[in-house]
Amino acid sequence: MASNKNSSNQMVVPEARAAMDRFKMEAAAEVGVNLKEGYNGELTSRQAGSVGGQMVKKMIEAYEQNLASRG
């Protein structure tokens, strides 16, 4: 496998970390998952998946709105 300098866990723009953390907390609140700052290893796979799924859903909605406003 080819070496990849940017793993999937690294931010391409490190300054975006705080914004992504706020986004994650907002998505968690929307699906009823109680996240705390830092490590959340006690979450079930279902809870973690719900948060990630909500984040993806919101990103897709924002992208679609951006496309619609251009068109």
Side-chain angles (χ1 to χ4, degrees), residues 38-62:
Y39 183 68
N40 285 283
E42 72 285 350
L43 292 180
T44 66
S45 296
R46 178 177 292 245
Q47 290 171 316
S50 294
V51 173
Q54 182 69 6
M55 291 174 72
V56 170
K57 179 181 172 185
K58 291 178 71 74
M59 286 186 271
I60 290 170
E61 287 172 355

Side-chain angles (χ1 to χ4, degrees), residues 2 4 7 14-15 20-21 28 36 38 41-42 44 49 52 54 58 62:
N4 184 358
S7 79
E15 296 81 16
M20 287 301 293
D21 286 342
K36 61 181 186 270
E42 72 285 350
T44 66
Q54 182 69 6
K58 291 178 71 74

Side-chain angles (χ1 to χ4, degrees), residues 6-11 17:
N6 286 328
S7 79
S8 63
N9 291 333
Q10 291 180 337
M11 290 275 175
R17 169 115 6 240

